[in-house]
Structures are given as C-alpha cells and as structure tokens.
Amino acid sequence: MAAWSAYAEYNATDTPPELYSELFDALIEHSPGVGPSPSGNLSLRLMIQADSALEAASEAAALADTALRTIGLSPTLVGIEVVTEAELDRRQAEPCIPELAGIAEAADILGVHKQQVDRLVSRGDLQAAQTLAAGPIFAADTIRGFAEKRQSRRIGRPVADLGLSPIERDLLNLLATASKEPKRSAASHLPNTDQIIAEVYSDSRLRVHLDTDTGPVTDALATLSQHKLVRTRKLTLAEKTTGDPSDSVVTLLAKGLRHASAQSARETES
C-alpha cells in the first residue's frame, strides 16, 4: 500500500467555523486539513493508505461523507483530486508566488537595456502581468518565452566571440541543453557533469549543485554571469526544504541562449 493525499471540495458555502472544528475532529486519524476553498466551497484534505489512486479517492469520499453527516451536513461532492505523498511534498516545496520580474530583471533576461524593455511594453510586444506605481511587473516565464522567440529570429546573425575557455563553453552548452536534453552528455572539460544539474525548474532555469569537487565550474559560472550570459541567485526558503540548501538557481539569459546556439552551430560545422 502507498500513502495518498486526497483533496475534495463540496458545495457548502458559508460553513460556520465551529463545524470546521467538528469536521477536523471527526477525521483526526487521517491528518485532515479543512476549511473554505478559494471559491468558497467547503474543502478538506485527507491522507489515505491505499493500493491505487482510484481506491484512495473512493475511500476518502466515503470517510468524508460519513464525517459530514455526523456533523449534520450533506453537501454534494463537486470534485476530488488524489496525488501521491511525494507529489504533494513536491508541490508544497514550490514557491507559492510564480517568479516575477520588473523592468530591470526583464532587461537581464532579454539581454537588453531597461529603456528597450520600456519600448517593447509601449509597442505592445511585451504584456505586463500587472502595472504598479513603480512600473510594470511581468511573469518571468513570459519574458523567457519572448526571449526565445527573439533568439529564433536572430539565428544567422553573427555573435561576438567572448573568448570563453573550453570549460566555460561546455558549461554554457550544458545549461542550454539540460532542460531539453537532460540525458545528453557534456564534453570532458566539465568534472562531475552528472552532479551539476540538480533539477530543471523550467526552460532556461535550473537548480545547480556546486561543491568542492566542482571548483573550476564555480569559476566558469562566475565568468558566464559577468558576461551577462546567465543570472544566478540563492535558493528561496521553500526551495531549501529539498536537496542541498547550498545549491543555486541559474537562469540562462537571452544573450546566453544566442551564444549557446551559435556555439552549437560552429561545433556542428566542424
């Protein structure tokens, strides 16, 4: 048997707080979470031991139905979702708020000046998620998607040689391909390649693990950052709950994507 998390919602709005307490007590053996959902429905979460998701959903619905009748409620079940305990832990470790970007962060991702971001917004090429008194706020993934489209339109344009060392070129290539081709092997200049990429968060954004055995890689990453090919940050508190808390998050910027693409093209030609 496996541990499952079952989340259910019922069409019982304006439920008195004292009934939530009674429902919690009635389901105490299943580590319950009870309360109003964002839509106002009555919601509850139970931990269930079962052989399958279907069995867990059926048992959770039966337990909840019995508990609701015990406290004098008989609402209609409007939805139920069952996930493994591991999947629940993964979801809860994710930031509650998606990664956001202001004008300066958007400029970094796109590899342009802040004034260019203002022009893109004014022309309607970039859509802000919200505009505050301090300026527009974007979803970072939206900016990355726009950067990829710009990069694809720039294919064929010459890219300046930055004089990167072999290990710096290999690291840039690894970061550029990891999210799309995680099993692709890197060149021999990189030590402990299989330990560097700890997790792929999204296209162009990865969790990177660097330790005493990857000193040259740490220096290479610093060089890529100086050339504005990547941006690095420390983990959030939520991200530190899993894996090594000393890891870093690396975002491949538009300039880095262009250089990685040009580098790959040159290697193919040779």
Side-chain angles (χ1 to χ4, degrees):
M1 300 182 75
W4 302 85
S5 169
Y7 174 81
E9 285 194 20
Y10 293 82
N11 65 344
T13 57
D14 300 323
T15 303
E18 59 271 18
L19 290 186
Y20 283 124
S21 297
E22 293 180 27
L23 185 59
F24 180 89
D25 291 339
L27 296 167
I28 192 65
E29 294 182 1
H30 297 276
S31 304
V34 299
S37 71
S39 63
N41 287 328
L42 184 155
S43 71
L44 58 87
R45 184 180 296 279
L46 303 176
M47 295 305 298
I48 303 293
Q49 292 290 328
D51 291 325
S52 68
L54 184 60
E55 181 182 327
S58 177
E59 182 176 350
L63 287 168
D65 184 62
T66 299
L68 287 165
R69 288 202 308 270
T70 299
I71 64 173
L73 294 178
S74 55
T76 300
L77 176 67
V78 296
I80 187 166
E81 180 193 35
V82 174
V83 297
T84 63
E85 186 175 23
E87 171 62 14
L88 177 65
D89 291 341
R90 186 194 68 78
R91 292 183 183 184
Q92 292 181 335
E94 292 179 345
C96 296
I97 301 175
E99 185 182 7
L100 302 176
I103 290 289
E105 292 79 12
D108 277 346
I109 294 173
L110 294 172
V112 300
H113 294 293
K114 290 187 286 187
Q115 292 83 353
Q116 177 64 15
V117 177
D118 284 328
R119 286 194 287 271
L120 291 170
V121 174
S122 298
R123 294 203 306 256
D125 295 335
L126 270 182
Q127 299 294 325
Q130 186 63 265
T131 300
L132 308 179
I137 300 296
F138 310 92
D141 282 343
T142 299
I143 301 297
R144 293 190 188 96
F146 182 78
E148 289 184 2
K149 291 180 181 178
R150 291 182 79 241
Q151 189 268 338
S152 66
R153 292 196 296 267
R154 296 174 66 108
I155 291 176
R157 300 186 185 185
V159 175
D161 184 1
L162 299 178
L164 300 179
S165 69
I167 192 172
E168 290 161 358
R169 290 196 299 270
D170 282 354
L171 180 59
L172 181 62
N173 180 63
L174 176 66
L175 294 172
T177 60
S179 61
K180 297 179 177 61
E181 302 176 64
K183 295 183 179 179
R184 178 174 174 176
S185 59
S188 58
H189 300 105
L190 284 175
N192 303 320
T193 303
D194 58 338
Q195 300 177 18
I196 294 175
I197 305 300
E199 185 176 353
V200 176
Y201 285 159
S202 64
D203 284 353
S204 306
R205 192 162 60 98
L206 310 99
R207 178 169 175 158
V208 174
H209 176 69
L210 302 174
D211 55 28
T212 54
D213 295 327
T214 55
V217 181
T218 303
D219 295 337
L221 185 61
T223 299
L224 298 183
S225 181
Q226 290 171 3
H227 284 297
K228 295 188 180 299
L229 303 177
V230 303
R231 185 177 69 243
T232 63
R233 66 168 173 81
K234 296 180 179 179
L235 300 181
T236 63
L237 290 176
E239 290 167 337
K240 287 182 179 180
T241 60
T242 60
D244 190 324
S246 66
D247 290 349
S248 300
V249 174
V250 176
T251 299
L252 192 66
L253 304 180
K255 183 179 178 182
L257 286 168
R258 292 197 300 273
H259 278 265
S261 178
Q263 176 179 295
S264 177
R266 286 194 294 269
E267 292 173 354
T268 301
E269 292 172 358
S270 61

